[in-house]
Amino acid sequence: MLVVMKRDASREEIDGVVARVGELGLTAIPLPGAERTAIGTFGVAAREAAEQLESMPGVQEIVYVSRPFKLSSREVRADDTVVRVAGVEVGAGRPLVVAAGPCSVETKEQTTATAKAVRGAGATLLRGGAYKPSTSPYSFRGLGESGLRILAEAAHAAGLPVVTEVLTPADVDLVGHFADCLQIGARNMSNFSLLDAVGEQRRPVLLKRGLSATIEEFLLSAEYILAKGNPNVILCERGIRTFEKYTRNTFDVSAIPLLKRLSHLPVLADPSHGTGKWYLVAPVALAAVAAGADGLMIEVHPSPDHALKDGFQSLTFENFASLMRTVPAVAAAIGREVALPAPV
Ligand code: PEP
Ligand code: MN
């Protein structure tokens, strides 16, 4: 349930409700809003608890949240959340952001050249994996810490913030040291101890939809991070498994407006993993923009034929630049702009 405070509720009244919620054996998460504060309460609440809270000074009303996901839902927070990745704002109608870069950090040259090229084409964030989740234990699993160093150097030289994946709770501090945004990959969307761990720190988190996750499961995973106190969650639709074999995944374009209807969190689209075919990336990226995505995540490689991972879905520098020339017109058709990379 949600305790909605009066517009003029004082700090003491808000603190009083938070303390009483704790005494009732529930967890309180204050949710300051533009107009008034609400206090999310989590745990099994008896009806008497609600009645007691309702009669406290400064309380306007008690609202029961019907969705299983609470902090991520629009019922609890009606206004869109803006997540800041270093200086880049994501969500709430802000200009669209584009996170681009290689699937995996392979070498310094490959990463530096890609960072420079994607920035030149208008990307706002650099993506790249140093710790790679892999279906097969024999596939490339990333360079680890040395990959993080290469990525951070390339990002610094290009003047772009970094998004990179973290695979285990034990690596969160290390990856957070090099990254501006921690990515939770599709295979880890239901790794609840990892969700707890990224919830306990303050770096923004880009959470990818699981391979077979429903929208509700996806939002419940976001809920784990929010419930630990980290409000900076960006959702990312990256396609789901279906019976179709011509594509690697089936990109669920309806997930974008649906997530935005159910949740206040920003939504990105990853048409690279969403389709698995380089020639489908641009059209699906444009469809995602038209559907209201707050940004894109695109894999780019200097020589996709030689990529250690996901070359078949990676764009060349030229193809990425060509996509970036097309995005503004589609964004403009729905009243959105595309973010410019920050000045170096
Ligand atoms: C990636 O972004 O390189 C990746 C592994 O994505 P996903 O978790 O969506 O498969
Ligand atoms: Mn990849």
Side-chain angles (χ1 to χ4, degrees):
M1 77 191 154
L2 196 64
V3 184
V4 180
M5 302 301 291
K6 291 184 178 146
R7 264 170 228 279
D8 58 356
S10 66
R11 184 74 258 159
E12 290 69 36
E13 287 170 337
I14 294 170
D15 291 345
V17 170
V18 169
R20 188 76 191 107
V21 169
E23 285 163 17
L24 291 165
L26 304 171
T27 304
I29 300 193
L31 306 159
E35 304 230 322
R36 59 189 169 189
T37 292
I39 298 160
T41 72
F42 302 93
V44 182
R47 190 148 287 272
E48 303 80 71
E51 280 161 11
Q52 286 179 25
L53 291 168
E54 196 160 26
S55 60
M56 289 187 72
V59 173
Q60 173 78 36
E61 61 176 333
I62 304 290
V63 174
Y64 292 95
V65 182
S66 58
R67 307 263 185 218
F69 45 90
K70 313 284 181 194
L71 294 172
S72 53
S73 94
R74 282 231 185 251
E75 287 177 289
V76 166
R77 194 184 274 278
D79 298 334
D80 281 349
T81 287
V82 181
V83 174
R84 289 177 181 80
V85 180
V88 177
E89 294 190 330
V90 190
R94 298 291 194 277
L96 305 189
V97 299
V98 179
C103 175
S104 311
V105 175
E106 299 168 2
T107 64
K108 189 167 168 20
E109 295 64 39
Q110 166 247 11
T111 309
T112 309
T114 308
K116 189 163 172 257
V118 299
R119 189 202 155 95
T124 20
L125 302 167
L126 179 66
R127 66 141 287 143
Y131 293 91
K132 295 304 301 179
S134 192
T135 303
S136 160
Y138 308 118
S139 302
F140 181 57
R141 294 170 72 179
L143 298 181
E145 187 172 342
S146 62
L148 290 176
R149 285 181 198 283
I150 292 173
L151 187 63
E153 268 175 39
H156 182 74
L160 296 175
V162 169
V163 185
T164 193
E165 182 160 356
V166 58
L167 288 182
T168 70
D171 292 337
V172 168
D173 282 351
L174 176 71
V175 177
H177 180 73
F178 292 98
D180 299 290
C181 179
L182 300 174
Q183 177 171 324
I184 302 292
R187 288 159 192 79
N188 267 326
M189 188 208 82
S190 304
N191 181 341
F192 303 117
S193 49
L194 181 59
L195 299 176
D196 281 344
V198 295
E200 277 160 6
Q201 55 85 59
R202 279 306 162 111
R203 288 254 185 254
V205 177
L206 185 137
L207 175 66
K208 289 190 143 194
R209 183 177 181 183
L211 306 176
S212 323
T214 64
I215 295 290
E216 191 161 291
E217 287 162 344
F218 189 19
L219 288 171
L220 282 167
S221 287
E223 194 76 14
Y224 267 84
I225 303 168
L226 299 173
K228 283 285 178 189
N230 185 351
N232 304 308
V233 177
I234 301 168
L235 304 168
C236 181
E237 162 61 32
R238 48 77 72 207
I240 47 174
R241 284 249 166 110
T242 68
F243 47 80
E244 182 51 60
K245 294 278 191 289
Y246 277 106
T247 49
R248 181 178 183 187
N249 291 293
T250 296
F251 185 83
D252 180 5
V253 76
S254 73
I256 297 163
L258 183 54
L259 287 166
K260 293 188 77 69
R261 183 186 174 91
L262 294 170
S263 175
H264 51 87
L265 297 171
V267 180
L268 294 199
D270 171 354
S272 305
H273 296 86
T275 63
K277 306 282 183 204
W278 69 268
Y279 50 85
L280 298 180
V281 169
V284 174
L286 297 175
V289 170
D294 295 302
L296 299 168
M297 173 171 263
I298 310 278
E299 287 188 338
V300 179
H301 195 281
S303 175
D305 292 354
H306 296 95
L308 295 180
K309 229 175 161 57
D310 289 357
F312 39 84
Q313 66 191 35
S314 298
L315 298 188
T316 59
F317 296 169
E318 294 70 28
N319 284 338
F320 178 67
S322 143
L323 167 63
M324 290 300 284
R325 284 192 292 273
T326 336
V327 171
V330 177
I334 57 155
R336 302 276 302 257
E337 289 179 7
V338 180
L340 296 171
V344 195

